[in-house]
Amino acid sequence: MQALIGHYKFNIMSNKEHCDGEWQFPGPRIIAREGDRLVIKVVNNVQYNVTIHWAWSETTKKWMGRWTCLYYTMPNSDRKGVAYPCPQSFKEVPVLFGEWWKADTEKLISQAVLTGGAPNISDAYTINGLPGLLYNCSAKGVKPRKTYLLRLVNAALNDELFFSIANHNLTVVEVDAVYVKPFKTDTILITPGQTSNVLLKTKHFHPNASFLMSARPYATGPASFDNSTTTGILKYHQPSNNTNKSNKFPLLKPKLPIFNDTTFGTSFVKIIRSLANAKFPANVPKKVDKHFFFTVGLGLNPCP
């Protein structure tokens, strides 16, 4: 069967809150299957040059000035006629982690380039553009006895993040567009630029409580970082005959690892394994010809 060729046009616009496509945040969604070819014309209406990041993609252009055309071929993804290797979800919900600076971000970048140091740390982390309950923001409603697919994206600049929902387990089923052997956890660790799909199975009843969703950084080493927590509220839709107001319910909080919990981070990463079955094989070289060892550092000394 011939792959679909889809044509899209995105307008990139900006305000103080965020820079996105078509005034949407998260931005507009593209639905495609493995092997589909997409032609996307992107018009930059922002006064600055913009870099577009397409995760696990094959594109011919990424950097853009006023406008550019992206030719995008879908990598391993949903195949036509092949079911998900995990339970069907009731609804898909994007969860985009980011950062917020009170200052002009262009000035922050210019200052970092001038000094040779890292940019000043952010003032807050965000979930879908909002810093959360601690900063007087909003909530997400769910129904009981349902399975939700949370599509997690870590768009924070340099920080790995812990994420948890109070009194709920998450089932990790995909990491960076590769299906993994499903595993349950109450906390996940997601790195900068990484994506992950997790299943959230709601309770079988209408709980008389609300549940805090929290994310905060995992960091080690001497460099400064934004040691704050972003939150959202998971609320259950209440039946019409329930006279209790959901805003009067107790708010239960998750217990996140401490910011430098390397033991948790290491154990979490070790659990991740490719699905590697007949429908989704892991075709990787089994013979190692040469071993390499890489180190990554951060320069803290000012440029001469």
Side-chain angles (χ1 to χ4, degrees):
M1 181 178 294
Q2 186 176 6
L4 170 71
I5 299 180
H7 293 265
Y8 295 84
K9 180 180 179 181
F10 289 167
N11 287 296
I12 306 298
M13 294 169 283
S14 176
N15 56 28
K16 181 61 177 70
E17 281 70 39
H18 41 68
C19 176
D20 54 33
E22 308 292 347
W23 295 114
Q24 297 180 36
F25 194 86
R29 184 172 64 162
I30 295 175
I31 300 177
R33 296 184 182 275
E34 178 184 350
D36 288 352
R37 183 174 174 81
L38 308 176
V39 180
I40 306 169
K41 183 176 181 180
V42 185
V43 180
N44 182 13
N45 296 295
V46 182
Q47 61 176 317
Y48 305 107
N49 293 328
V50 174
T51 300
I52 298 179
H53 175 69
W54 299 89
W56 19 267
S57 66
E58 300 172 12
T59 57
T60 58
K61 287 187 178 180
K62 289 187 179 181
W63 179 89
M64 60 180 296
R66 180 53 54 193
W67 71 273
T68 192
C69 197
L70 303 171
Y71 297 90
Y72 177 67
T73 302
M74 289 295 294
N76 290 336
S77 184
D78 309 330
R79 305 176 187 176
K80 189 174 182 59
V82 178
Y84 283 126
C86 58
Q88 182 68 36
S89 60
F90 167 70
K91 187 177 181 180
E92 297 182 10
V93 181
V95 179
L96 182 63
F97 303 108
E99 292 180 88
W100 169 263
W101 282 264
K102 295 178 181 178
D104 186 324
T105 53
E106 289 298 319
K107 292 181 180 179
L108 290 175
I109 295 172
S110 298
Q111 181 184 12
V113 171
L114 181 64
T115 62
N120 290 344
I121 62 174
S122 57
D123 295 292
Y125 294 102
T126 60
I127 297 177
N128 288 350
L130 300 174
L133 179 69
L134 302 179
Y135 300 84
N136 191 28
C137 284
S138 59
K140 174 66 71 176
V142 296
K143 296 181 178 181
R145 300 180 298 279
K146 299 293 184 181
T147 299
Y148 290 81
L149 179 64
L150 307 184
R151 296 191 177 272
L152 308 180
V153 181
N154 184 0
L157 186 60
N158 288 315
D159 295 318
E160 299 172 85
L161 296 173
F162 297 118
F163 174 69
S164 183
I165 303 176
N167 286 37
H168 289 76
N169 283 326
L170 301 170
T171 302
V172 180
V173 295
E174 178 266 354
V175 176
D176 278 340
V178 176
Y179 292 123
V180 299
K181 289 181 173 62
F183 65 93
K184 289 185 178 181
T185 179
D186 60 1
T187 303
I188 74 159
L189 176 63
I190 185 167
T191 60
Q194 190 175 49
T195 65
S196 185
N197 286 342
V198 301
L199 297 176
L200 167 66
K201 193 170 184 178
T202 57
K203 299 183 181 299
H204 291 278
F205 55 93
H206 293 84
N208 291 326
S210 296
F211 306 90
L212 200 66
M213 304 180 291
S214 299
R216 73 179 181 199
Y218 162 61
T220 60
S224 60
F225 65 98
D226 178 358
N227 192 17
S228 65
T229 301
T230 181
T231 61
I233 302 177
L234 185 74
K235 290 185 176 181
Y236 279 74
H237 294 295
Q238 297 298 317
S240 57
N241 60 355
N242 190 338
T243 58
N244 293 328
K245 297 291 186 180
S246 61
N247 58 2
K248 301 296 183 182
F249 290 158
L251 180 62
L252 305 184
K253 301 178 181 180
K255 185 178 180 180
L256 289 168
I258 61 175
F259 74 91
N260 60 351
D261 194 340
T262 299
T263 300
F264 175 89
T266 302
S267 62
F268 180 86
V269 172
K270 284 184 175 180
I271 300 174
I272 300 174
R273 292 290 183 269
S274 173
L275 191 58
N277 60 18
K279 289 185 178 179
F280 301 94
N283 297 320
V284 297
K286 296 182 180 180
K287 179 185 177 182
V288 177
D289 298 313
K290 186 172 289 188
H291 293 266
F292 294 90
F293 181 75
F294 295 91
T295 62
V296 179
L298 176 65
L300 299 178
N301 293 327
C303 292

